[in-house]
Amino acid sequence: MKSRADLLASQFPEAVLSGTLPAPLTRLTPSEVGVTSAELVDLFESQLMSRHLDYQSRRLRARNESFYTIGSAGHEGNAVLGKLFRITDMAFLHYRSGALLIQRSKQRPGETPLYDMLLSFAASREDPISGGRHKVLGSKTLLVPPQTSTIASHLPKAMGAAHALGLARVLEPDAVALPPDSVILCNFGDASANHSTAQGAINTAGWAAYQNSPMPIVFVCEDNGIGISTQTPKGWIHASFSQRAGLHYLYCDGTDLLDTLRGVRAAVAYARRYSKPVFLHMRVVRLLGHAGSDTEVSYRTLQQVEADERQDPLLRSARLLLEQGILTADEICALNEQIAQRVSRIAELAILRPKLQSAAEVMAPIAAVRQTFPAIPPVDPSRREAMLGVDKRQRHKPQNMARLINLALADILLQYRHCVVCGEDVGKKGGVYSVTTGLVEAFGPHRVINTLLDEQSILGLAIGLGHIGYLPIPEIQFLAYVHNAEDQIRGEAATLSFFSNGQFNNPMVIRIAGLAYQKGFGGHFHNDNSLALFRDIPGLVIACPSNGADAVQMLRSCVALAHQQRRVVVFIEPIALYMTRDLHQPGDALWTAEYEAPGEGMPIAVGEFGCHGNGTELCIVSYGNGYYLSRQAAHDLKQGHGIDLRVIDLRWLAPLDEMALVEAIAPCERVLVVDECRRTGSISEAIVTMLAERAPGRHRVARVTAEDSFIPLAEAANLVLPDKRQIIEAARALINGEVL
């Protein structure tokens, strides 16, 4: 029994030769939409190539030679997008964009899209975009960042890239400048349009355009009426998006080349001329189900499937070529067969190419880049004084962490001219905790960007800025709010280098106010004490300073790392320590520091921990608030019990310099790990595991951690968090040989 793919493949030449082709949808002529006969044949060729890649992928999958069968069948009208958008218009693509990418590649001589895509299907390490790590549609030379199976997760960064294009008119990026009238292309499906990620990105684009902020982007919703097995209500996309504020809505039928040319040309022209977002609603059909493993007739009737097959865009394109006298039926069938054989021959070559052979090969792009960018030279002192002179006297007084981070951000913005701070309330208000106070007055609203309240859009903005050559420092107001948008870090920012084999990157330093000990304020939404989601992301750098002096040097290291190695960094700022000045008693000011200008003080490299004391009876390992409490406990243990110890401040939670840490702990018989995060999933688990594996049997080890609980309101918060008393008791028990 023939599969639907085989039936569809055989029905095409039969329909062309018999003339049983679907009726035209419009009365447009090629001249009216500005297309020549040769260009129509070229578009039709791209459509056929895409379709035969879909057929071939399924055949190879049956032989276990291909590993991805979500195809583009029915969406081949998007070849027009590949023709009318320039290759300098960055494209963020839906996974049904095979024809688009093939057509786009024709703009650049020497491209081999069929071979490249078949290498990707076969998971060959010679796949030029992902190196065999996933079947993705992407290309460095065509300015298409790779995208895996998306449910609209690429829309926020596409919106961010569009904002970056507008920003480039007033702020030069640290990259090759794109043409000033460039636009962003972003396509997706009708089911994905319902996702909160899509809704947020489109809303943000409209929100910006409503305020006359440049946002040159074309959102293309390829509406095939179904998401896997769930029908999209008839008329839903039009009803949802045709009247959105700040959004210019257009419609075309993607099964008809001439109508698609009309609609896409209008969309591109509008976005290019007005730098405003366009929503192009493109009707298409989905053929061959969701993927090769999808039994479509289990949720749709055979009549529905056959009705869609009669609207095959290849049949409509064939009719157009016949009616215009451009090709004969025999010539169309010959071209179809020629492409089928060509794809088959290339496939047999692609499946023989080498695959990834080791874990090291697979992981190579996670934390490495192909090149290291040069360091930014320091700012001329006179220019610095002119910009920051108003704070001169304050800078030479002991300051708390919040103020020190503020001063460090000012110097970073001064030194890195392509650096942008963005987030909710970071402008005139200066952030909830005044950490960004004065920055917008000093550097302007293009460099200190107030965003709307949507963490997905804040992080998407940062990713898009990074794509265009900026160095973003997005702020998330509270740690718990990251959960609204964590896939923008996990699934987009941190995976880009991996799925592009190091060719694409989106550097950033994500500042997050977090952790607990806020004296009961706010409950768990403002006192989240779990960092597990970050520790689970390969390649992510996680910094957590415990004091202002360290915060300054660590933030500089983070920004330098993001700039030079294009890394994604998370910078956790303990809210409870923002305003803390004293360590042991009121007025001692031991938790403040004078601000050290760039070039002053000791730099803190990524992975470098701090150590207070050199005792050997006990080593306490901690970070953040836990380190602050451990320093207090160490003082009392020394003064009250004569216990000689050392306290290590991890500073960096990823990557851990395990060998150096084991060496620093080695002289101590006992190790107490103090972790303000929950017992389950905390960094303390990693420290204990590290000691068990790298120094087995060498130390007695214990932990003091928070309970596996959310943080309640008011004084009840203290019941589930570690405190100085618990640290002292645990330390004494360890030394006395007691079981904790």
Side-chain angles (χ1 to χ4, degrees), residues 401-529:
M401 182 191 287
R403 180 59 176 153
L404 290 169
I405 293 175
N406 173 260
L407 293 168
L409 285 170
D411 266 321
I412 287 165
L413 286 168
L414 193 60
Q415 181 179 8
Y416 294 82
R417 303 295 296 276
H418 63 302
C419 183
V420 175
V421 170
C422 58
E424 185 193 357
D425 297 321
V426 298
K428 289 185 178 181
K429 180 177 174 60
V432 174
Y433 296 99
S434 302
V435 177
T436 57
T437 294
L439 296 182
V440 71
E441 288 80 5
F443 297 97
H446 296 301
R447 305 207 45 207
V448 183
I449 303 171
N450 253 355
T451 68
L452 75 178
L453 198 165
D454 178 19
E455 287 75 23
Q456 292 183 125
S457 292
I458 293 170
L459 293 173
L461 171 62
I463 297 171
L465 287 167
H467 270 297
I468 303 298
Y470 293 100
L471 179 54
I473 305 181
E475 178 186 292
I476 302 297
Q477 276 189 356
F478 292 99
L479 178 59
Y481 296 179
V482 177
H483 298 288
N484 299 328
E486 62 187 73
D487 190 54
Q488 287 299 300
I489 303 174
R490 185 204 66 83
E492 294 295 337
T495 62
L496 181 64
S497 179
F498 182 75
F499 287 121
S500 69
N501 202 17
Q503 298 173 83
F504 283 94
N505 41 67
N506 36 222
M508 68 183 71
V509 178
I510 307 168
R511 291 182 46 250
I512 304 173
L515 301 173
Y517 294 101
Q518 293 185 69
K519 299 180 180 178
F521 165 72
H524 73 281
F525 277 113
H526 301 87
N527 283 286
D528 190 358
N529 67 328

Side-chain angles (χ1 to χ4, degrees), residues 140 174-176 369-376 416 418 466 469 502-505 507 559-567:
K140 179 68 172 178
D174 183 36
V176 177
V369 291
R370 298 284 177 97
Q371 63 184 114
T372 297
F373 292 78
I376 296 290
Y416 294 82
H418 63 302
Q503 298 173 83
F504 283 94
N505 41 67
V559 172
L561 183 70
H563 166 70
Q564 292 179 268
Q565 297 186 24
R566 298 322 203 223
R567 296 291 293 276

Side-chain angles (χ1 to χ4, degrees), residues 57-68:
S57 176
R58 289 165 183 250
R59 296 186 191 109
L60 292 175
R61 183 71 192 95
R63 294 161 47 184
N64 202 35
E65 300 282 8
S66 175
F67 307 96
Y68 197 94

Side-chain angles (χ1 to χ4, degrees), residues 1-16 20-22 47-48 50-56 58-59 71-76 285-289 296 300 302 304-316 333 336-337 340:
M1 182 178 176
K2 281 188 174 183
S3 67
R4 289 314 309 176
D6 289 336
L7 284 171
L8 199 62
S10 62
Q11 287 169 5
F12 175 76
E14 293 170 3
V16 171
T20 54
L21 300 169
Q47 291 183 305
L48 287 172
S50 178
R51 179 64 61 83
H52 284 289
L53 283 174
D54 288 348
Y55 294 153
Q56 193 64 43
R58 289 165 183 250
R59 296 186 191 109
S72 305
H75 287 244
E76 290 91 353
V285 293
R286 189 191 74 182
L287 305 178
L288 305 180
E296 195 173 13
R300 301 183 76 199
L302 181 59
Q304 288 174 316
V305 171
E306 291 175 338
D308 277 352
E309 290 176 354
R310 287 192 292 271
Q311 299 182 70
D312 187 341
L314 299 190
L315 296 176
R316 284 218 160 93
C333 291
N336 177 58
E337 181 59 26

